[in-house]
Amino acid sequence: MPDQPKYQRRKEDRPQEIADAAFAAFAENGYAATRIDDVAKRAGVSKGLTYLYYKTKEDLFKAVVKNVVVRRVDALIGDVESTDLSSEAFIRGPLLSFMKKVPGSPIAIVIRLLISEGPRHPDLVDYYYENVVARGLGAITKFIERGVERGEFRREALEHQPHLFLAPMMLSIIWRLIFAEKQLNTDQLMESQVDMLLTQLRA
Amino acid sequence: MPDQPKYQRRKEDRPQEIADAAFAAFAENGYAATRIDDVAKRAGVSKGLTYLYYKTKEDLFKAVVKNVVVRRVDALIGDVESTDLSSEAFIRGPLLSFMKKVPGSPIAIVIRLLISEGPRHPDLVDYYYENVVARGLGAITKFIERGVERGEFRREALEHQPHLFLAPMMLSIIWRLIFAEKQLNTDQLMESQVDMLLTQLRA
Amino acid sequence: MPDQPKYQRRKEDRPQEIADAAFAAFAENGYAATRIDDVAKRAGVSKGLTYLYYKTKEDLFKAVVKNVVVRRVDALIGDVESTDLSSEAFIRGPLLSFMKKVPGSPIAIVIRLLISEGPRHPDLVDYYYENVVARGLGAITKFIERGVERGEFRREALEHQPHLFLAPMMLSIIWRLIFAEKQLNTDQLMESQVDMLLTQLRA
Amino acid sequence: MPDQPKYQRRKEDRPQEIADAAFAAFAENGYAATRIDDVAKRAGVSKGLTYLYYKTKEDLFKAVVKNVVVRRVDALIGDVESTDLSSEAFIRGPLLSFMKKVPGSPIAIVIRLLISEGPRHPDLVDYYYENVVARGLGAITKFIERGVERGEFRREALEHQPHLFLAPMMLSIIWRLIFAEKQLNTDQLMESQVDMLLTQLRA
DNA sequence: GATGAATGAGGATTCATTCAT
DNA sequence: TATGAATGAATCCTCATTCAT
């Protein structure tokens, strides 16, 4: 099943088209400043149709925010679980590469939206915690355990909080959300951190 | 229950009272969802008075956001520059202690506001970059240089991006902004990072 | 008494209906004292709909004021240019009759609005000068020239400012705008003036 | 009693200072767009003081509008009644000269205000009719009668409406109120009219 | 399903007016 | 008297939502 180009008109997938348009609009203007009219215009449909699929603006928001990240996280977790690379090779390869892409990806936008709107949508936050964060951290933990079992990592590595891997990525995300590209080599930041952490973890 | 007089006049600093109320309101609801009426009510004044001191909602927002952080950053930078502790002692002591407090402090709120509203207020972002970020990073850099000169740090430490010190703090900030206290020992996170970094920096 | 349906949709020309209502409201209360809500109520629509067709109150004002006069002036100028009456017959007939009607017509209202609001809407004033005044005076001048060529008027008539024809009409307009019908025979005023002027112009 | 310069501080005549400032403000911005704050600032007093002398904005408006014209009309009527010039000399001299000055004088402003705000202030209009218009027309009528008695004017002159003298002045006033100086020789307009009328009136 | 005209509650802002000092 | 901080009703304008077609 090849990917369809995103904004091509497909009568059969209007809800998705609308969700995509909405995501773009929310990304650009935030939740409050996005008008349903804008979303409809972007999606090339009428305002009324938006309401056919999404009962309220909030519904639309939640649907959009959920649907964006889960697809990606699923893929990454799948990778983690099925890789046959050595732990270090996986970290320096696919994981690092993924992390480098995040600050410029829709995930960063979702983080912005969660930070802005989360307090007004606790169920959305719960959803994220369960479906993204908990699962992601679980996968990393399992991955480290596997490294320990294989003798690649020291036993003490298990005590290590996996969050440290993610910290420079998060800094990079926030930096770019606020300051755009202003003078920060985010890639190098993540590489240095991985170097440091691997030095510590190595058996 | 005596009637409250309609016209209250107080000696205190009304603009500051209003700014404080506004900060609380923005913190709770974000910029867009905060009504000027709310701010006024919180400050115990009428809507009109708010407009006497701040020409627009945006003015109020900017005034509030600026006034919150600068005071704190000034203090910290002062500490960095005037400390007579050894570099490591300063990092493990005052700096770590400051960083631990940030995720629960108004600074975190300001970061939330910058992430949410920054794109609509570029001058505010610029202000932050110049007055907070650039100065903060400058202070850290100077501090590392001093450590090198004193023979406490290796010469290569200079190549290190100071951002790595801040990364776990930022992760902690964001974590708490989104998930509140949910299962993350942010203090330990920052300590581990400091340990790792000092190991690398030490001469 | 059956409930009125909440959503009325009519085939008629809503923008024009709103403009008509607005003209009536502005005529009655002036620009500043007219609330958009009043206009909407008069037009039998909601406030919001007014804004669908006219972006701001000022837009509505300008649209309304333009649309009232131009139709009438076009008609009059057409008459002047196509008449086959003798010059004097035309002046005593159609022109006098037109001038007599003006003080009680929407044109008088427009003049009131221009006097009141003109200084705050220079482009509207320019519009009037070009589309109404300049064209009107041009037509009168051409008409006098034609009278001279035909030998009906003396050659010196060309030096005459055509404004003198209009002066009593303007006095009548203003009189009625301020004092309503109070003791002034405006028709006779204009007739006397026309008599006097024709005496002077006649060959 | 020499005139005091208008805006000099005189503790003893605050009400007049405020009225003068108010007139200037109303002249510039119209009634609705004039803020009491502006008036106070112009007068160099506090907003509160304005309310000490004038209970409401409307009071202030009426006071101001009344006081401006009456002084001048009184003077003119006095001239008419006491002149020893021949009728024609008086008309061509002091009267014409007065009429020429009106379009650029505060009287024109008052006319603007009456046209704009009159409908909302019928008592103001009545005041004007009685104190300015009726008296003015009375004086002109009496003046013509005098001319007839003296044999300067034909008996039929009495049937003539004195308004015709004023018509070009009114056109000039309105023209300047709307179009400022744009291409109209208002002086010549009034002279031509006076010529015409005198030709008719002369015995 | 699809449209977009129509609604009206909600919120920013202004400014006449009041009154403590 | 004189001040100007304080009030809140009034009004413009926006936009989520509804519904006739």
Side-chain angles (χ1 to χ4, degrees), chain A:
Chain A
M1 247 187 299
D3 269 319
Q4 304 277 344
K6 244 183 188 169
Y7 288 94
Q8 185 186 312
R9 273 235 164 188
R10 286 162 297 172
K11 287 253 175 357
E12 339 77 58
D13 207 6
R14 286 290 172 79
Q16 186 59 49
E17 284 175 23
I18 292 169
D20 289 343
F23 181 73
F26 289 139
E28 225 167 74
N29 304 315
Y31 176 76
T34 293
R35 275 157 296 132
I36 294 288
D37 244 339
D38 290 344
V39 172
K41 212 160 286 167
R42 266 178 207 262
V45 302
S46 71
K47 212 182 343 177
L49 195 58
T50 302
Y51 278 91
L52 187 64
Y53 297 118
Y54 303 96
K55 290 307 150 222
T56 65
K57 188 184 179 186
E58 195 181 333
D59 270 9
L60 176 58
F61 178 66
K62 287 181 181 169
V64 159
V65 171
K66 285 181 182 175
N67 122 30
V68 166
V69 175
V70 177
R71 292 183 284 189
R72 291 159 210 271
V73 172
D74 282 350
L76 182 67
I77 292 177
D79 282 359
V80 173
E81 287 172 348
S82 68
T83 185
D84 49 6
L85 294 171
S86 78
S87 295
E88 184 157 344
F90 182 82
I91 288 171
R92 291 193 186 279
L95 182 64
L96 194 52
S97 147
F98 171 82
M99 291 198 304
K100 284 176 179 172
K101 276 182 295 188
V102 168
S105 81
I107 296 181
I109 303 295
V110 167
I111 288 174
R112 188 207 305 264
L113 293 172
L114 282 178
I115 290 171
S116 310
E117 301 302 322
R120 248 110 44 229
H121 304 285
D123 54 324
L124 191 59
V125 169
D126 290 347
Y127 176 88
Y128 258 84
Y129 192 80
E130 283 154 30
N131 292 281
V132 178
V133 177
R135 288 175 59 214
L137 292 175
I140 300 186
T141 303
K142 215 186 290 176
F143 176 76
I144 295 180
E145 277 168 9
R146 201 195 62 175
V148 172
E149 280 161 24
R150 290 178 176 186
E152 295 170 316
F153 292 151
R154 303 161 59 207
R155 182 137 305 278
E156 293 85 347
L158 290 174
E159 296 153 15
H160 229 80
Q161 286 174 297
H163 304 80
L164 280 189
F165 275 104
L166 306 175
M169 180 184 82
M170 187 57 82
L171 180 71
S172 302
I173 290 169
I174 302 308
W175 189 279
R176 282 180 56 168
L177 285 177
I178 299 180
F179 301 119
E181 305 286 339
K182 226 172 210 166
Q183 294 145 304
L184 178 62
N185 186 334
T186 57
D187 284 1
Q188 191 198 312
L189 211 61
M190 294 186 250
E191 284 165 16
S192 301
Q193 182 83 347
V194 162
D195 281 344
M196 273 201 322
L197 283 166
L198 285 178
T199 305
Q200 288 223 321
L201 291 176
R202 258 193 301 257

Side-chain angles (χ1 to χ4, degrees), chain C residues 133-194:
Chain C
V133 177
R135 288 176 58 215
L137 292 176
I140 300 185
T141 303
K142 216 186 292 176
F143 176 77
I144 295 179
E145 278 168 10
R146 202 195 61 174
V148 172
E149 281 161 24
R150 290 179 175 186
E152 296 170 316
F153 292 151
R154 304 162 57 210
R155 184 139 301 277
E156 292 82 350
L158 291 174
E159 295 153 17
H160 229 78
Q161 286 172 297
H163 304 79
L164 280 188
F165 276 103
L166 305 175
M169 179 184 81
M170 186 58 81
L171 179 73
S172 302
I173 292 171
I174 302 307
W175 188 278
R176 281 180 58 166
L177 285 177
I178 299 180
F179 302 120
E181 304 286 340
K182 228 170 211 165
Q183 294 142 304
L184 178 62
N185 186 334
T186 57
D187 284 1
Q188 191 199 314
L189 212 58
M190 293 185 250
E191 283 165 18
S192 302
Q193 182 83 345
V194 162

Side-chain angles (χ1 to χ4, degrees), chain D residues 59-130:
Chain D
D59 271 8
L60 176 57
F61 178 66
K62 288 181 182 168
V64 158
V65 171
K66 285 181 184 175
N67 118 32
V68 166
V69 176
V70 177
R71 291 184 283 187
R72 292 160 210 271
V73 173
D74 281 350
L76 183 67
I77 292 177
D79 283 359
V80 174
E81 288 172 348
S82 67
T83 185
D84 51 6
L85 294 173
S86 78
S87 297
E88 182 156 346
F90 183 80
I91 289 172
R92 291 194 186 279
L95 181 64
L96 193 53
S97 148
F98 171 81
M99 292 199 302
K100 284 178 180 175
K101 276 184 292 188
V102 168
S105 82
I107 295 180
I109 304 293
V110 167
I111 288 174
R112 189 207 306 269
L113 293 171
L114 281 178
I115 290 172
S116 310
E117 302 302 322
R120 248 107 47 226
H121 304 284
D123 54 323
L124 191 59
V125 170
D126 290 347
Y127 175 88
Y128 259 82
Y129 192 80
E130 283 154 30

Side-chain angles (χ1 to χ4, degrees), chain C residues 7 9 34-36 47-48 51 56-57:
Chain C
Y7 283 75
R9 176 181 296 245
T34 295
R35 273 157 301 126
I36 291 287
K47 202 180 2 158
Y51 282 95
T56 64
K57 189 184 176 187

Side-chain angles (χ1 to χ4, degrees), chain C residues 76 80 90-100 140 165:
Chain C
L76 182 67
V80 173
F90 182 81
I91 288 172
R92 291 192 186 281
L95 181 64
L96 194 53
S97 145
F98 171 82
M99 291 198 303
K100 285 178 180 173
I140 300 185
F165 276 103

Side-chain angles (χ1 to χ4, degrees), chain D residues 10-189:
Chain D
R10 288 161 296 171
K11 287 251 175 356
E12 340 73 62
D13 204 8
R14 285 293 171 77
Q16 186 60 48
E17 283 175 24
I18 293 170
D20 288 343
F23 182 72
F26 289 139
E28 224 166 74
N29 304 312
Y31 177 75
T34 293
R35 277 157 295 132
I36 294 289
D37 244 339
D38 291 345
V39 172
K41 213 160 287 166
R42 265 178 207 262
V45 303
S46 71
K47 212 183 340 177
L49 195 58
T50 303
Y51 278 91
L52 187 63
Y53 298 117
Y54 304 96
K55 290 308 151 222
T56 66
K57 188 185 179 185
E58 195 180 333
D59 271 8
L60 176 57
F61 178 66
K62 288 181 182 168
V64 158
V65 171
K66 285 181 184 175
N67 118 32
V68 166
V69 176
V70 177
R71 291 184 283 187
R72 292 160 210 271
V73 173
D74 281 350
L76 183 67
I77 292 177
D79 283 359
V80 174
E81 288 172 348
S82 67
T83 185
D84 51 6
L85 294 173
S86 78
S87 297
E88 182 156 346
F90 183 80
I91 289 172
R92 291 194 186 279
L95 181 64
L96 193 53
S97 148
F98 171 81
M99 292 199 302
K100 284 178 180 175
K101 276 184 292 188
V102 168
S105 82
I107 295 180
I109 304 293
V110 167
I111 288 174
R112 189 207 306 269
L113 293 171
L114 281 178
I115 290 172
S116 310
E117 302 302 322
R120 248 107 47 226
H121 304 284
D123 54 323
L124 191 59
V125 170
D126 290 347
Y127 175 88
Y128 259 82
Y129 192 80
E130 283 154 30
N131 291 282
V132 178
V133 177
R135 287 176 58 215
L137 292 175
I140 300 185
T141 303
K142 214 185 292 176
F143 176 77
I144 295 179
E145 277 168 9
R146 200 196 62 176
V148 173
E149 282 161 22
R150 289 180 178 187
E152 295 169 317
F153 293 151
R154 304 162 56 208
R155 181 139 305 278
E156 293 83 348
L158 290 173
E159 295 152 18
H160 229 79
Q161 287 173 296
H163 303 79
L164 281 189
F165 275 103
L166 305 175
M169 180 184 81
M170 186 58 81
L171 180 72
S172 301
I173 291 170
I174 302 307
W175 188 280
R176 282 179 58 166
L177 285 177
I178 300 181
F179 301 121
E181 304 288 338
K182 227 171 209 166
Q183 296 145 301
L184 178 63
N185 187 333
T186 56
D187 284 1
Q188 191 198 314
L189 212 59

